[in-house]
Amino acid sequence: MRFYLLISCFLLTFINLLNAQTTKHKNGLSYKFVITDYNTADLWYQNNNDPDRIFHPEDINYAGEIGYFRNINKSLTIGIPLRLGSIDSHHSVYNSNDSLCQPCVNRSVNELFFGADIVAIYKFNNDYILKEDFIIAPYLLLGIGGKYLSIREGNFDFQIPVGIGINIKLTELLYLQAQFEYRKSLVIQKDNFGISGGISWLLDFKKDK
């Protein structure tokens, strides 16, 4: 119940922000497919595998993302991406009935999560480095986010996403988007990576008089 309540609160916030924006082309939505990787940056996991498994297909999971983005100026955009999916990660568990390992490490292959971030995006197509309407539009991102984890004790983690991305212009309103991010875990100490790809769609509202 607490999980569904959290989703409802984030969705209501998203809808209210969307309805409040009316300036042409300053608003956009993104729809992306996400690869989640909690094992490449896990030191315990890497120390117990020979050879090291880096972005191994058996160690990744998947998620979907929808995001709302608001253009502040030619260089800066603020966004609220929401993600729902699963992760493959290891848990440290202190078990008083097992004296052989303290802590013991359990692996959860399909742990469901819901996450929401607030990100700031610095755009290189800002008329200083690249023309604003240039066909290729790279960017940097930095933010703060929260995750609800369905299995892990405590259920919540806060993370700092840092990443790079690129938009490729298809039409005036439609872009292909690819993004890579490193996510610093602040609570459960499980740093991870996110690799995503999809579309970014600018909203064409009627101009104010």
Side-chain angles (χ1 to χ4, degrees):
M1 178 64 70
R2 184 173 57 178
F3 178 63
Y4 293 111
L5 218 75
L6 187 65
I7 291 178
S8 299
C9 289
F10 278 121
L11 287 178
L12 285 173
T13 302
F14 173 80
I15 292 169
N16 286 336
L17 282 169
L18 182 60
N19 289 337
Q21 315 301 335
T22 57
T23 305
K24 185 179 180 182
H25 293 178
K26 286 187 173 290
N27 307 274
L29 297 176
S30 67
Y31 307 90
K32 292 194 287 184
F33 176 77
V34 185
I35 293 174
T36 63
D37 183 352
Y38 269 68
N39 290 309
T40 294
D42 190 325
L43 293 179
W44 180 92
Y45 179 75
Q46 294 300 335
N47 290 335
N48 286 275
N49 283 274
D50 188 23
D52 291 344
R53 291 159 67 103
I54 308 297
F55 296 109
H56 195 279
E58 294 179 2
D59 299 334
I60 61 176
N61 275 28
Y62 308 99
E65 176 188 298
I66 181 172
Y68 166 72
F69 295 86
R70 169 72 178 183
N71 180 265
I72 304 302
N73 55 47
K74 289 185 178 181
S75 298
L76 179 65
T77 292
I78 301 296
I80 304 178
L82 309 177
R83 289 181 179 177
L84 180 64
S86 62
I87 62 174
D88 176 345
S89 67
H90 295 77
H91 299 250
S92 296
V93 180
Y94 291 87
N95 187 348
S96 59
N97 297 323
D98 189 348
S99 60
L100 296 179
C101 62
Q102 292 297 338
C104 301
V105 176
N106 295 335
R107 182 173 183 173
S108 297
V109 177
N110 290 297
E111 180 174 8
L112 296 178
F113 79 89
F114 173 75
D117 298 336
I118 298 176
V119 297
I121 295 173
Y122 177 80
K123 302 177 297 178
F124 288 96
N125 59 320
N126 53 14
D127 280 343
Y128 299 106
I129 302 173
L130 296 171
K131 291 294 184 181
E132 190 173 15
D133 60 352
F134 196 65
I135 189 171
I136 296 176
Y139 61 86
L140 302 175
L141 72 89
L142 175 65
I144 183 73
K147 275 190 175 179
Y148 175 90
L149 303 163
S150 63
I151 297 176
R152 190 173 299 273
E153 183 178 354
N155 295 117
F156 286 95
D157 189 22
F158 289 98
Q159 300 180 354
I160 298 177
V162 180
I164 59 175
I166 187 168
N167 288 309
I168 301 175
K169 187 176 182 180
L170 299 178
T171 71
E172 183 182 0
L173 301 177
L174 187 64
Y175 290 77
L176 287 178
Q177 185 177 98
Q179 182 173 295
F180 177 86
E181 61 194 78
Y182 170 77
R183 302 182 65 90
K184 178 67 179 176
S185 170
L186 302 179
V187 178
I188 66 174
Q189 303 303 313
K190 290 290 183 180
D191 298 352
N192 57 94
F193 295 100
I195 304 171
S196 59
I199 62 170
S200 175
W201 173 39
L202 302 183
L203 303 179
D204 189 12
F205 292 123
K206 184 179 179 180
K207 288 184 178 180
D208 296 332
K209 293 182 180 181

